[in-house]
Amino acid sequence: MNYFINPNRMTLWLSTMGAALMTRVSRLGKAGMFLGQTLFYCLTPQVQAERVLRQTWFIGWKSLLVIGMTGTFAGMVVALQGYPALRRMGSEALLGPGVALSLIRELGPVLTALMVTGRAGSAIAAEIGIMRTSEQIDALELMGLNPFRYVVVPNVLASLLALPVLTLAFDAIGILGGYLVGVRLLGLNGGTYFWEMSNYLEMKDVLGGIYKALTFGLLIAWVCCYKGYYSRFGAEGVSAATTQAVVNASVLILVCDYFVTSVVF
Amino acid sequence: MIRVENLRKSFGNQEVLREVSLEVQPGEFMALIGSSGGGKSLLLKLVVGLLKPDRGRIWVAGRDVAALSRRELESLRSRIGFVFQGGALFDSMTVYDNVAFPLREKTSLGEKDIYRKVMRELELVGLRDAARKYPAQLSGGMLKRVALARALVRDPEIVLFDEPTTGLDPVVSRAVLDLFGSVHRQLKLTGILVSHEIPRIFEIVQKVVMLHEGRIIAAEPPARLCASSNPVIRQFVNGTTAAQSARVEELV
């Protein structure tokens, strides 16, 4: 009770809370400004095409193996879990649409984004963080070059290009994984697996998945580039920036997933 | 060529620069000395507009740096070369590509002309044979020389050196400083050299400015600075106080 009456402690508490709130708000503002600047430079001329291609190779092509592995097992486990449940209801013929819809609408975009965050997002944050701490970003600026155009924009554009393609690859591989378990292992008819899929799957499901992939692509590049760009100095600073980039991007992907789902489906 | 007037810069409650004023004439090579963390590198970053001062003004080549638009600042920076403490070379590029980078990105020169210019600069710093190597394959001294070549490749009028000999052994750091001195004499550049290499730097600069507790306490030619009676300057330049020197003489 005393705690609330004592004016000195109350003032201290209020000022501490206020300072913490202000720090959070100013960080949010800084991140928002960073995104605004990035989008501006993405949409204005002098895009570094060669760098965009190189980063697309790095984010897209080099993630393909991990996406293939994740997709295969995600599809397999959905089929393995879904088949007994559908069988109880006498609807095992709907295994194909069940696997396809859960992958295309939800698992494909989300798992792809999480995998890309872990594999490429962390590397992007670390690379930009090292560029910051070793003054390479300052060097770019002193050469009269815009670090956003050279460092941030190629990663954002590459991520926007790579994520939808990786997501579609994840979906296709996952459906084949589901086929392996559902048809080869559990004995469902192969024709039924694919035929029923075409009856239930709509274009808006595929488009919804692509919208999600685009949103997540922007989110991953934004968070990872931002954390690297404002990395603190020293190895500890870069390490903290990398960890924060992966954690923040992963959480934001799941939060955004809910909102994007509620809008596009 | 460079004029700084009543410059102030703080970070939080810590005031790093307090009313700093200095002037570097065209063609003059000036050393900036002072204790570590005293704001020397900060002053260089303010001069090139990487940071904004809290108060005061900076003129470079007659332009007020704080008042320039982004485009004007880019144009001004094309006249300035900057040698960073760690070199700040792009580690994914070879030595050749690092030096060629500013020319490829900011000029319309063809590859043949770029090759000629890059090899000329690498020749100047004695690293023609290292053109195909990556920064990770170079020694500390070689890194600084590549950084100098990159800083010089666009023929700047001003070159700023931010502690370019940090981490080098005495022999290599002497060689690097001699190289800077000879480059300055050959190209008649205006330069500011931040360094702790005392008294070696006194052989290559015309003026020494000492920064102490955020203020400039001396701006004199090296010989006059060495003869200063100010105890802070004496201690910094000789590494001992007057009393310690007297005690050493007494012991000898």
Side-chain angles (χ1 to χ4, degrees):
Chain A
M1 194 64 185
N2 262 347
Y3 180 84
F4 291 102
I5 306 169
N6 186 329
N8 287 338
R9 295 190 76 170
M10 190 68 184
T11 313
L12 182 69
W13 183 81
L14 278 175
S15 67
T16 310
M17 291 297 286
L21 184 70
M22 284 304 288
T23 309
R24 300 257 171 233
V25 170
S26 84
R27 275 188 199 156
L28 266 179
K30 199 170 159 187
M33 292 283 287
F34 186 88
L35 179 63
Q37 264 180 294
T38 303
L39 293 177
F40 172 77
Y41 291 121
C42 280
L43 299 171
T44 49
Q46 287 182 340
V47 168
Q48 303 291 314
E50 193 196 322
R51 278 162 217 281
V52 174
L53 284 177
R54 200 192 308 155
Q55 285 311 100
T56 309
W57 167 268
F58 173 71
I59 298 171
W61 181 252
K62 287 196 160 184
S63 299
L64 210 51
L65 182 65
V66 74
I67 293 301
M69 297 271 293
T70 323
T72 307
F73 283 96
M76 285 166 74
V77 82
V78 171
L80 197 64
Q81 291 271 28
Y83 187 80
L86 290 168
R87 193 169 185 182
R88 268 181 235 167
M89 295 178 273
S91 318
E92 56 265 49
L94 296 179
L95 183 68
V99 169
L101 285 171
S102 51
L103 285 171
I104 289 169
R105 290 169 66 113
E106 184 59 34
L107 291 175
V110 172
L111 289 181
T112 302
L114 292 175
M115 289 298 120
V116 169
T117 303
R119 205 206 66 78
S122 56
I124 291 169
E127 188 186 359
I128 298 177
I130 289 169
M131 286 186 79
R132 164 64 69 200
T133 56
S134 61
E135 296 180 306
Q136 290 176 45
I137 289 180
D138 286 344
L140 278 175
E141 212 161 324
L142 287 181
M143 286 174 201
L145 301 168
N146 186 328
F148 267 85
R149 285 199 192 283
Y150 280 81
V151 181
V152 180
V153 169
N155 279 309
V156 173
L157 293 178
S159 189
L160 286 172
L161 285 171
L163 258 286
V165 178
L166 286 174
T167 301
L168 290 176
F170 185 104
D171 297 343
I173 295 167
I175 289 169
L176 289 177
Y179 172 85
L180 280 180
V181 170
V183 177
R184 298 282 170 190
L185 191 70
L186 302 172
L188 185 74
N189 181 281
T192 309
Y193 182 83
F194 286 111
W195 178 252
E196 290 296 338
M197 222 181 269
S198 64
N199 285 337
Y200 286 92
L201 201 62
E202 292 175 25
M203 197 57 195
K204 75 167 191 182
D205 299 316
V206 179
L207 285 176
I210 290 173
Y211 294 147
K212 277 189 177 185
L214 285 168
T215 311
F216 299 155
L218 178 65
L219 197 95
I220 294 166
W222 170 39
V223 173
C224 296
C225 290
Y226 172 75
K227 284 291 172 186
Y229 201 84
Y230 292 110
S231 159
R232 290 197 311 276
F233 280 80
E236 205 180 318
V238 177
S239 146
T242 310
T243 309
Q244 285 169 14
V246 172
V247 172
N248 292 2
S250 303
V251 171
L252 279 173
I253 285 166
L254 296 173
V255 173
C256 264
D257 183 41
Y258 174 80
F259 292 105
V260 178
T261 304
S262 65
V263 171
V264 298
F265 293 117
Chain B
M1 195 74 173
I2 300 172
R3 191 149 59 90
V4 174
E5 265 185 20
N6 306 322
L7 198 67
R8 278 177 176 267
K9 182 72 184 173
S10 305
F11 293 98
N13 295 328
Q14 193 193 358
E15 195 170 29
V16 186
L17 297 177
R18 306 167 188 176
E19 299 292 330
V20 168
S21 299
L22 62 85
E23 196 163 352
V24 188
Q25 300 297 333
E28 188 176 44
F29 199 15
M30 186 195 92
L32 186 58
I33 62 171
S35 51
S36 297
K40 304 183 296 296
S41 301
L42 172 66
L43 186 54
L44 290 192
K45 289 189 174 174
L46 287 163
V47 166
V48 292
L50 278 178
L51 295 169
K52 297 248 179 260
D54 298 336
R55 269 179 55 192
R57 298 176 85 175
I58 300 164
W59 281 272
V60 177
R63 313 291 303 272
D64 182 351
V65 176
L68 297 178
S69 67
R70 190 176 178 102
R71 204 168 283 265
E72 289 169 329
L73 195 58
E74 279 181 11
S75 145
L76 178 69
R77 281 171 178 166
S78 68
R79 300 165 66 185
I80 303 173
F82 199 107
V83 180
F84 287 90
Q85 197 170 8
L89 299 178
F90 302 118
D91 34 27
S92 57
M93 295 181 194
T94 61
V95 164
Y96 179 87
D97 289 332
N98 259 288
V99 181
F101 186 75
L103 297 175
R104 285 187 181 137
E105 299 295 336
K106 295 301 282 187
T107 67
S108 52
L109 290 176
E111 267 309 310
K112 257 187 186 168
D113 293 327
I114 289 175
Y115 177 82
R116 218 173 21 246
K117 271 183 93 74
V118 170
M119 293 320 270
R120 188 195 70 192
E121 298 305 336
L122 288 177
E123 181 90 58
L124 183 73
V125 299
L127 284 176
R128 210 183 153 88
D129 296 337
R132 294 287 154 214
K133 288 188 174 171
Y134 283 88
Q137 298 171 293
L138 304 179
S139 67
M142 289 163 93
L143 280 175
K144 309 289 163 110
R145 281 147 66 195
V146 177
L148 176 64
R150 189 177 69 181
L152 295 177
V153 78
R154 288 178 71 192
D155 303 321
E157 296 156 50
I158 301 166
V159 182
L160 308 177
F161 302 85
D162 185 10
E163 302 197 30
T165 52
T166 304
L168 301 181
D169 69 56
V171 176
V172 177
S173 82
R174 166 128 218 159
V176 169
L177 287 174
D178 287 346
L179 174 69
F180 291 169
S182 77
V183 165
H184 167 251
R185 281 192 301 278
Q186 278 181 51
L187 306 178
K188 309 274 180 250
L189 300 167
T190 305
I192 301 180
L193 169 66
V194 170
S195 179
H196 292 292
E197 294 289 336
I198 297 167
R200 281 185 204 132
I201 51 169
F202 293 169
E203 295 166 22
I204 58 169
V205 298
Q206 284 96 51
K207 187 163 81 182
V208 183
V209 168
M210 181 160 174
L211 203 54
H212 181 67
E213 293 178 349
R215 290 193 172 84
I216 286 178
I217 57 167
E220 292 174 309
R224 277 177 58 190
L225 190 90
C226 290
S228 170
S229 58
N230 185 322
V232 177
I233 298 173
R234 280 184 70 88
Q235 184 171 19
F236 200 81
V237 171
N238 302 323
T240 55
T241 60
Q244 283 170 330
S245 303
R247 176 75 183 135
V248 170
E249 274 173 28
E250 195 183 300
L251 285 172
V252 170

